[in-house]
Amino acid sequence: MMIVKPKTGSLPVFSIYIDTFRLQRKENPGISGKMPMKFKKFGGTEQKVYDLIKPITDELGYYLWDVCYEKEGAMWYLRVFIDQDEGITIADCERANAPISDILDEKDLIAQSYMLEVGSAGLERELVKEEHFEVCQGDTVRVRFIRAFDGEKEIVAQLAGADKDGVTVILENGEEKKFPLADIAFVKLYLDF
C-alpha cells in the first residue's frame, strides 16, 4: 500500500496505490545478472530524510523500515517504508504521509522535484540493513544466491544472524550454515502461503 504525493510547487495531488512494493536490485551483467549483497549504506539525502522523519514515525507508532531516494526514468522518487506489528493499512500510510510531507516541505532538503511515496515494507520485504537482520532473527527467510550453492539457487531457512562477513541460517535439518555476502543476491522474509 502506498500513498503518493508529487512535490511540484503546485497544490498537492494524491493517488493511492494498493500494492506491495518490492525493492528491486539493479542488475549487473558481469556477475550472472545480479549484484552481490551488501548491507545498505544510506546516501546523504536518504540519511538526512531518515533522521528528519524518524521522530515522526516513532511518535505515530510506526517502525521506519527504510528510506530510498532513486531515479526512475526522468522522475526522482523518495520512498518511505513503514511497519508495525499489526501490519500497515492505507489509513496508516495516509496518517504518516501528511506529517512527513509537511516536514519535508518545511525543511526543503531536496532541491529538485520528486514523488513522495509512503508505503508498507511488504510481507516478504528484503532485508538490507544490519538492524533488519537483528529485528528478523529467528524468522523464516528466503536466501537467493548469485550462483548455485550446493546445487541450490535459493534456500528457505531460519535466520540466525548476519554480520559484515555473511548471513547465518539454520537449515531444515538443524545445521547452522553461514553464507558470504558476496555469494548472496538477496535475503527476504518468507511466508508460506
Side-chain angles (χ1 to χ4, degrees):
M1 286 166 253
M2 209 163 285
I3 301 297
V4 181
K5 177 186 175 191
K7 180 189 177 217
T8 60
S10 61
L11 293 174
V13 178
F14 290 92
S15 300
I16 298 177
Y17 293 89
I18 302 174
D19 192 5
T20 301
F21 179 78
R22 296 191 197 300
L23 296 174
Q24 295 179 350
R25 185 167 302 284
K26 293 191 172 38
E27 295 198 7
N28 178 348
I31 312 177
S32 302
K34 294 284 181 186
M35 292 283 294
M37 183 181 163
K38 294 179 185 170
F39 288 125
K40 178 178 181 171
K41 301 277 189 233
F42 277 129
T45 300
E46 291 171 333
Q47 186 64 58
K48 287 177 188 172
V49 170
Y50 185 93
D51 293 343
L52 182 64
I53 68 173
K54 182 150 181 19
I56 293 170
T57 57
D58 288 349
E59 185 179 316
L60 292 172
Y62 303 123
Y63 175 73
L64 181 55
W65 183 262
D66 201 6
V67 173
C68 296
Y69 184 60
E70 42 200 10
K71 188 173 185 178
E72 291 181 9
M75 191 67 194
W76 281 91
Y77 291 86
L78 178 61
R79 294 181 170 120
V80 175
F81 300 99
I82 58 175
D83 193 23
Q84 66 179 342
D85 291 340
E86 306 82 44
I88 295 295
T89 66
I90 291 176
D92 294 316
C93 296
E94 290 173 339
R95 184 172 170 234
N97 185 74
I100 289 171
S101 178
D102 290 346
I103 193 79
L104 288 171
D105 287 345
E106 178 187 323
K107 299 297 182 184
D108 203 21
L109 297 176
I110 304 170
Q112 71 258 26
S113 294
Y114 61 93
M115 188 75 70
L116 172 63
E117 297 179 352
V118 175
S120 166
L123 295 175
E124 291 188 332
R125 68 198 62 184
E126 186 172 0
L127 310 183
V128 294
K129 299 190 303 188
E130 288 184 72
E131 67 187 56
H132 294 168
F133 287 89
E134 291 169 18
V135 168
C136 296
Q137 195 167 350
D139 291 342
T140 303
V141 294
R142 180 167 54 110
V143 181
R144 177 164 295 159
F145 302 108
I146 294 172
R147 295 172 235 22
F149 215 98
D150 293 335
E152 298 292 329
K153 188 76 171 162
E154 186 174 286
I155 61 166
V156 173
Q158 181 183 6
L159 179 64
D163 58 31
K164 62 181 174 47
D165 298 321
V167 174
T168 305
V169 296
I170 300 170
L171 303 174
E172 208 172 81
N173 63 7
E175 176 188 358
E176 190 172 287
K177 193 154 188 172
K178 186 169 191 170
F179 299 99
L181 289 181
D183 294 336
I184 298 172
F186 65 74
V187 178
K188 293 183 178 182
L189 285 183
Y190 178 79
L191 294 173
D192 190 11
F193 294 103

